[in-house]
Amino acid sequence: MVVKAAGLVIYRKLAGRIEFLLLQASYPPHHWTPPKGHVDPGEDEWKAAIRETKEETNIAKEQLTIHEDCHETLYYEAKGKPKSVKYWLALLNNPDDVSLSHEHQNWKWCELEDAIKIADYAEMGNLFRKFAGWLSDHQ
Ligand SMILES: Nc1ncnc2c1ncn2[C@H]1C[C@H](O)[C@@H](COP(=O)(O)OP(=O)(O)OP(=O)(O)O)O1
Ligand SMILES: [Mg+2]
């Protein structure tokens, strides 16, 4: 059985530059990912992505423009089990402050190449490239 999770790749536009939000896990391996988490029973991935974003960053749906047409699912093994994570791309309308839950110890706004480096996992890097490409096609 695949463990399902979902999240939002949040970006902001500052002085014409696009920056993606990454959060650092407060537990090993202290990896960096966009806000995301497990889909609860009775919930779909869309709802889980929005709920987890609120829980992990305190950013609510109303502060975002979620690009419903821009999404991608990653598949990898986590704690010995196959996991899927569906991400949608979302603009933070105003670059408001982020406030973290106990699950994360740090956050960072990163331009594309920095985001790819910090996220580390190859498939996550490809996802950032795809989403950045989508953005340049939709400006
Ligand atoms: N894209 C990825 N590809 C491969 N491994 C990854 C990827 N992202 C994270 N991992 C690794 C890091 C951890 O060892 C493990 C679980 O991390 P992650 O999927 O972020 O779940 P999590 O349990 O830390 O948080 P969450 O509850 O938000 O899903 O998988
Ligand atoms: Mg999480």
Side-chain angles (χ1 to χ4, degrees):
M1 257 271 286
V2 175
V3 175
K4 274 194 178 185
L8 296 178
V9 172
I10 295 178
Y11 70 99
R12 66 179 184 182
K13 283 190 212 160
L14 267 194
R17 289 198 312 269
I18 288 178
E19 295 179 334
F20 297 99
L21 179 63
L22 283 163
L23 311 178
Q24 184 177 31
S26 45
Y27 39 84
H30 301 286
H31 55 299
W32 295 79
T33 73
K36 56 115 178 63
H38 293 101
V39 177
D40 282 344
E43 201 179 44
D44 58 19
E45 287 161 313
W46 177 260
K47 281 198 177 144
I50 292 165
R51 176 184 51 74
E52 287 284 349
T53 296
K54 174 73 177 144
E55 286 175 11
E56 295 190 343
T57 65
N58 204 33
I59 296 171
K61 192 177 165 222
E62 295 69 34
Q63 296 165 262
L64 296 167
T65 303
I66 306 175
H67 303 301
E68 278 187 65
D69 296 345
C70 184
H71 54 81
E72 180 74 60
T73 305
L74 298 186
Y75 297 93
Y76 53 92
E77 197 162 287
K79 292 165 202 146
K81 286 186 190 157
K83 178 170 182 176
S84 71
V85 188
K86 183 168 184 179
Y87 286 105
W88 281 268
L89 180 62
L91 169 69
L92 181 61
N93 298 325
N94 296 305
D96 305 327
D97 272 350
V98 171
S99 100
L100 294 178
S101 73
H102 66 278
E103 290 175 42
H104 295 98
Q105 61 185 33
N106 205 354
W107 80 88
K108 201 172 175 208
W109 289 100
C110 304
E111 287 192 71
L112 179 61
E113 290 308 321
D114 197 18
I116 291 168
K117 257 184 231 147
I118 284 181
D120 202 28
Y121 303 103
E123 295 309 317
M124 190 74 233
N126 292 339
L127 186 150
F128 277 123
R129 280 201 186 86
K130 175 183 162 167
F131 283 13
W134 188 93
L135 279 173
S136 52
D137 291 345
H138 289 79
Q139 271 171 24

